[in-house]
Amino acid sequence: MKVVFHEAFYPVYAADPAAAAGRMEAIMEVLTPAAEVVEPKPAGKAQIAAVHTAAHIEWVKREGVYEVAALAAGGAILTAETGLKEPCFGAIRPPGHHASSDSAWGFCYFNNMAVALTHLKKKGKIDTAYVLDIDLHYGDGTEEILGAKDWATVYNVAAAGRSAIMKRISIEMETCRADVIGVSAGFDNHQKDWGGTLTTDDYAKIGRMVKTATMHCGGGCFALLEGGYNHRVLGQNALALMEGMQGGW
């Protein structure tokens, strides 16, 4: 399985948990032996402007994070394009699901998922897309940008308790029909992270459910890193999801 990553994601770029030192190292130490690492290029101005206003882009520049945010968006595009052919994981940062068209919060700047799927749609590579957001926090930015699009479905897993979360995802994947499924892969709902709920094996099961859904509808799948802040378990959780997406049942 391919993992999209660039060494420019290693340096600390802001004072928040998503940008913390050692976070990407903790992921790549686990993923690198198990995958083929592919290096992305930054998203172009037009690709970013397709989902974000000029005022928002200027704000990101003033924050001094435009280069790494554009690289993350470019990584998302490469991950999504690869996902049409084979499952792919984007080990990218900054995260993106709290970035709306004209604002951002929650450690996000550009909405990586929206940039990637809009690119696929504009290039005629997909007709429909489905976003499964498994992060602990609601992906309000993705909902704001893609929620009203007739070609996109955005599902944030809003449920309390491990069994309820897994059941909701199972139901969604059993009925999902789309050309591509993009997973907003936040791991902060792990039992040893902020949410304290899911197990590492649960992420493998989620990956398998996603893969099975793509087999039913003849589509592709990919995942983009969002949250997840316990460096001791983050890499194993990402690997579990990645390996699950390779399988299916």
Side-chain angles (χ1 to χ4, degrees), residues 109-154:
Y109 298 97
F110 293 140
N111 194 301
N112 303 316
M113 181 66 73
V115 170
L117 292 179
T118 300
H119 168 79
L120 294 185
K121 179 66 174 177
K122 284 182 172 292
K123 290 295 183 179
K125 296 185 176 184
I126 61 169
D127 290 322
T128 56
Y130 184 103
V131 179
L132 174 66
D133 194 323
I134 62 172
D135 194 274
L136 171 64
H137 305 96
Y138 191 91
D140 55 324
T142 310
E143 179 67 35
E144 188 268 341
I145 296 173
L146 295 178
K149 305 293 186 183
D150 59 5
W151 55 270
T153 299
V154 180

Side-chain angles (χ1 to χ4, degrees), residues 12-247:
V12 175
Y13 54 84
D16 65 58
R23 182 169 182 259
M24 299 308 293
E25 288 85 345
I27 295 173
M28 296 309 296
E29 285 175 4
V30 177
L31 297 191
T32 299
E36 176 187 349
V37 178
V38 184
E39 191 171 287
K41 296 180 180 179
K45 294 179 180 179
Q47 292 169 319
I48 296 171
V51 302
H52 291 292
T53 65
H56 180 69
I57 294 170
E58 287 303 313
W59 173 78
V60 173
K61 291 180 179 179
R62 291 195 301 271
E63 291 292 303
V65 295
Y66 180 86
E67 288 76 15
V68 69
L71 184 60
I77 290 172
L78 179 57
T79 304
E81 289 180 331
T82 305
L84 294 176
K85 303 173 185 177
E86 60 181 289
C88 186
F89 184 84
I92 61 176
R93 73 171 181 180
H97 74 153
H98 293 309
S100 300
S101 57
D102 195 33
S103 64
W105 68 287
F107 323 142
C108 301
Y109 298 97
F110 293 140
N111 194 301
N112 303 316
M113 181 66 73
V115 170
L117 292 179
T118 300
H119 168 79
L120 294 185
K121 179 66 174 177
K122 284 182 172 292
K123 290 295 183 179
K125 296 185 176 184
I126 61 169
D127 290 322
T128 56
Y130 184 103
V131 179
L132 174 66
D133 194 323
I134 62 172
D135 194 274
L136 171 64
H137 305 96
Y138 191 91
D140 55 324
T142 310
E143 179 67 35
E144 188 268 341
I145 296 173
L146 295 178
K149 305 293 186 183
D150 59 5
W151 55 270
T153 299
V154 180
Y155 183 74
N156 285 270
V157 184
R162 179 180 170 223
S163 61
I165 289 171
M166 297 301 290
K167 184 176 180 180
R168 293 278 184 88
I169 295 174
S170 177
I171 292 171
E172 284 295 310
M173 291 298 94
E174 286 174 0
T175 58
C176 175
R177 297 295 181 269
D179 295 327
V180 68
I181 300 174
V183 182
S184 282
F187 300 103
D188 44 355
N189 213 9
H190 186 262
Q191 59 184 1
K192 294 183 180 180
D193 211 307
W194 292 357
T197 304
L198 298 179
T199 68
T200 298
D201 187 56
D202 288 334
Y203 291 111
K205 291 177 181 177
I206 292 169
R208 290 196 293 270
M209 286 189 277
V210 170
K211 177 60 176 179
T212 299
T214 66
M215 294 166 64
H216 289 162
C217 58
C221 63
F222 66 95
L224 302 178
L225 178 65
E226 299 284 0
Y229 308 106
N230 184 340
H231 300 183
R232 292 174 296 174
V233 297
L234 183 54
Q236 292 298 331
N237 291 336
L239 178 63
L241 179 70
M242 188 178 83
E243 290 181 338
M245 289 172 61
Q246 290 181 291

